Amino acid sequence: MADIPDELIKLERSAVEAHARLRGLDGEAYGVQWKAWRVAAEKFQAAVTEYAGRDDVTMSRHQAEQAVKKAVRHGTTDV
């Protein structure tokens, strides 16, 4: 597996953690946290798009996103 930048891992972790904080919230608190999650997810998506567009990256955007998500959600250390 190709090397994935730590920054992408950090951004995805941030989005996953923001999503987890939605549990148990309602009303205004839910709306505020939902926006925080959306912003974190958008930052991750933009970073993946930028990374995959680099000339030195041979993975497709989809492959890069899936590699990061696997590493974050399943504790894979071989990225």
Side-chain angles (χ1 to χ4, degrees), residues 50-62:
E50 182 179 331
Y51 172 74
R54 292 180 5 193
D55 290 337
D56 63 328
V57 175
T58 59
M59 287 188 283
S60 71
R61 190 206 173 286
H62 175 75

Side-chain angles (χ1 to χ4, degrees), residues 15-79:
V16 169
E17 290 166 1
H19 185 263
R21 287 191 291 273
L22 285 168
R23 281 180 282 213
L25 298 178
D26 58 5
E28 186 176 339
Y30 182 89
V32 169
Q33 185 56 41
W34 185 86
K35 184 177 180 182
W37 168 52
R38 189 185 77 206
V39 168
E42 288 172 350
K43 285 180 182 179
F44 169 70
Q45 292 295 326
V48 169
T49 298
E50 182 179 331
Y51 172 74
R54 292 180 5 193
D55 290 337
D56 63 328
V57 175
T58 59
M59 287 188 283
S60 71
R61 190 206 173 286
H62 175 75
Q63 289 170 323
E65 180 179 353
Q66 293 307 305
V68 174
K69 288 183 176 194
K70 181 179 179 186
V72 171
R73 295 178 181 171
H74 301 291
T76 305
T77 58
D78 64 340
V79 294

